[in-house]
Amino acid sequence: MRTILVVGGGYAGFYTAWKLEKKLRRDEARVIVVDPRPYMTYQPFLPEVLSGSVEARHAAVSQRRHLRRTKLIAGSVVRVDHANRTATVAPVEGPEFALAYDIIAVTAGAVTRQLGIPGVVDEAIGMKHVEEAVAIRDRMLTNFDRAATLEPGPRRSRLLTVTFVGGGFSGVEGFGELLSLATALTRTYPEIKPEELRFHLVEARDRILPEVTDEPGRWVVRSLEKRGARVHLNATMLSASGGHVVLSTGEEFDSDLIVWTVGNAVNPMVRSHTDLPINERGMLMVRADLRVGTDSEPVPDAWGAGDDAAVPDLAMPGSSTVPNAQHAVRQGKLLAKNIIASIRGGQVKDYLHHSLGTVATLGLGRGIFQYKRIVIKGLPAWLMHRGYHVLAVPSWERKVRVLAVWLTAAVFGRDIVSLASVQHPRRAFTEGGEVAAAPAATADR
């Protein structure tokens, strides 16, 4: 029986394994997925996790619940020696070990790009995983509690200042949703006025949301600024040391919550620790049919998809597919079909996907959608965003749970309880308890 190794359990990896399970005969091959997390993060829901519109667990799709015939290994593939069909796995617990395979699907995904800016590693929070989204939300809610007890001044202003670095999709959506939450909180905290909120979005280019055209992008900027936000275009962060933000434009301010959404970098394993071919950017070289290699020199039994693979975009000749959820999901599904076709001696297919358009949430009841020249703004676009993603999130179980939360929030409003204390679960036990004296020993009589 062949062993198919899927490296990474993100979008592309999860869907590859899920479809392989459904299509493979039981005696045809076994599937192994190696990933450090026990779930696949549905990243389009992370902005709504920030605002409390989606429960954190509902943005995480359990691997063991859905991949019941797949062997799951909690760990990371740190090296691939494809010449010998061997991968080195660093498990979450225990020493590294070698794992033999017959076919490999590299779907390791990208990592958060860091630019070596002073203070960023110490102060900023990313927005790529569920736990990061929860931490951002809890920090915002906790800061409101702390600021409400302070008199107006620098410390209070710092607690009510939020900075997002990066004006791509995840940054703008997260920024808009958190701004929506903060504005709503001022109605619950009479001590804090809306004009005290300071929301900064920093983008190095002259526009945000590069996935939409110029005018819709300018409309988003105007919409955010109308809600009290400040959008810094053609600006970069020079320092964030101690929470003191310094921009290339000369502006400086203190910010207690800094969110880093600058973009992705190639997975270090793919870039530096594999004998599979990579391009000048360190990405896996992949053909249109998702085989690793080139048209003239394919690599036998090696496949790739997702954010770490340079998949040719047949809809836009001469370019590669952009790293987003639309492509990763569809590539994962096709990758499973092509692997099975290759095992059975069938015909593999090229990946071709025409964009369905671009849709983004900008906060509760606000959004933007663009498909070619068609642009829809406001509430209709926001409803389209919700409708699309509740259909796209895998499994009916997750769809029902998300819909239930949305319906409940429509009636009772969003939950505004901070659970930041769960990050230190033993603090109440170790600091708040009373240590009783040990009972005196009694001598045997």
Side-chain angles (χ1 to χ4, degrees):
M1 185 183 294
R2 293 180 177 88
T3 295
I4 303 173
L5 173 61
V6 180
V7 181
Y11 278 120
F14 176 85
Y15 276 94
T16 297
W18 203 19
K19 296 302 178 182
L20 283 172
E21 272 199 5
K22 294 182 178 181
K23 302 294 184 182
L24 282 170
R25 294 187 291 269
R26 287 189 177 273
D27 61 346
E28 199 166 18
R30 67 170 183 154
V31 181
I32 300 176
V33 172
V34 181
D35 192 88
R37 289 179 171 80
Y39 57 83
M40 184 270 283
T41 302
Y42 190 73
Q43 291 183 349
F45 278 160
L46 293 186
E48 294 200 61
V49 172
L50 295 190
S51 64
S53 296
V54 169
E55 288 291 331
R57 285 185 176 86
H58 298 169
V61 180
S62 170
Q63 293 174 355
R64 291 195 179 272
R65 185 183 184 96
H66 300 287
L67 303 179
R68 298 184 179 180
R69 293 171 49 200
T70 296
K71 180 178 180 180
L72 301 172
I73 298 177
S76 302
V77 172
V78 295
R79 184 177 301 276
V80 172
D81 179 6
H82 189 65
N84 295 302
R85 302 295 194 276
T86 303
T88 303
V89 177
V92 173
E93 292 288 342
E96 294 183 358
F97 61 89
L99 179 63
Y101 64 83
D102 298 290
I103 299 170
I104 191 170
V106 180
T107 58
V111 297
T112 300
R113 181 174 58 177
Q114 298 177 3
L115 302 178
I117 298 172
V120 167
V121 172
D122 297 323
E123 303 292 338
I125 304 175
M127 208 182 81
K128 196 173 181 63
H129 302 289
V130 174
E131 56 268 32
E132 293 173 320
V134 172
I136 294 168
R137 169 181 162 78
D138 285 344
R139 174 76 69 85
M140 179 83 266
L141 294 171
T142 301
N143 282 359
F144 262 72
D145 286 330
R146 296 167 65 188
T149 65
L150 297 173
E151 295 296 325
R155 181 57 185 155
R156 177 175 167 126
S157 177
R158 176 191 173 106
L159 289 170
L160 297 176
T161 300
V162 176
T163 306
F164 272 66
V165 185
F169 245 74
S170 61
V172 171
E173 287 192 315
F175 186 79
E177 286 287 345
L178 201 62
L179 175 59
S180 178
L181 172 62
T183 304
L185 285 174
T186 59
R187 296 192 289 270
T188 310
Y189 288 79
E191 306 91 342
I192 299 175
K193 297 179 174 57
E195 54 268 25
E196 292 186 82
L197 301 178
R198 300 287 185 270
F199 270 69
H200 299 269
L201 176 61
V202 181
E203 170 53 47
R205 291 166 291 190
D206 60 355
R207 51 168 299 179
I208 61 174
L209 289 180
E211 295 85 353
V212 302
T213 53
D214 290 346
E215 181 50 39
R218 287 192 289 267
W219 177 86
V220 172
V221 172
R222 293 194 300 269
S223 174
L224 292 172
E225 292 184 335
K226 187 177 180 180
R227 294 160 60 189
R230 178 75 187 278
V231 180
H232 304 264
L233 299 177
N234 294 311
T236 58
M237 177 181 283
L238 301 181
S239 175
S241 297
H244 183 70
V245 176
V246 180
L247 301 182
S248 59
T249 57
E251 297 174 84
E252 299 184 25
F253 51 87
D254 289 332
S255 179
D256 196 72
L257 177 53
I258 301 171
V259 183
W260 185 262
T261 62
V262 168
N264 296 327
V266 177
N267 191 295
M269 186 279 292
V270 175
R271 184 181 63 243
S272 306
H273 303 290
T274 174
D275 57 352
L276 296 171
I278 58 175
N279 64 13
E280 66 281 357
R281 297 173 55 197
M283 300 180 71
L284 198 65
M285 293 180 64
V286 177
R287 307 183 339 163
D289 61 6
L290 305 182
R291 292 180 189 269
V292 173
T294 63
D295 291 338
S296 58
E297 296 184 17
V299 178
D301 301 322
W303 305 78
D307 292 354
D308 61 0
V311 180
D313 190 347
L314 299 183
M316 298 181 65
S319 63
S320 299
T321 58
V322 296
N324 64 22
Q326 277 192 40
H327 287 301
V329 169
R330 288 165 175 79
Q331 288 171 9
K333 293 178 179 179
L334 178 64
L335 181 51
K337 294 178 181 178
N338 280 354
I339 290 175
I340 293 172
S342 70
I343 290 174
R344 297 174 182 171
Q347 185 71 32
V348 299
K349 297 181 180 179
D350 287 345
Y351 176 73
L352 173 62
H353 172 63
H354 295 280
S355 174
L356 302 176
T358 298
V359 62
T361 175
L362 303 174
L364 194 63
R366 300 177 174 89
I368 186 166
F369 168 82
Q370 182 174 18
Y371 176 69
K372 297 182 178 179
R373 296 184 179 181
I374 301 173
V375 178
I376 300 175
K377 306 171 184 175
L379 180 61
W382 178 77
L383 292 172
M384 293 172 68
H385 176 274
R386 286 204 160 184
Y388 172 78
H389 285 299
V390 79
L391 291 174
V393 67
S395 84
W396 280 102
E397 170 256 343
R398 274 295 178 265
K399 300 180 198 297
V400 172
R401 289 182 185 273
V402 171
L403 277 173
V405 172
W406 282 343
L407 293 173
T408 303
V411 177
F412 299 106
R414 290 178 289 199
D415 196 333
I416 59 170
V417 175
S418 169
L419 294 178
S421 58
V422 301
Q423 299 172 31
H424 308 282
R426 299 186 67 252
R427 179 173 292 171
F429 174 73
T430 58
E431 297 180 1
E434 180 179 349
V435 180
T442 53
D444 292 333
R445 294 185 182 274

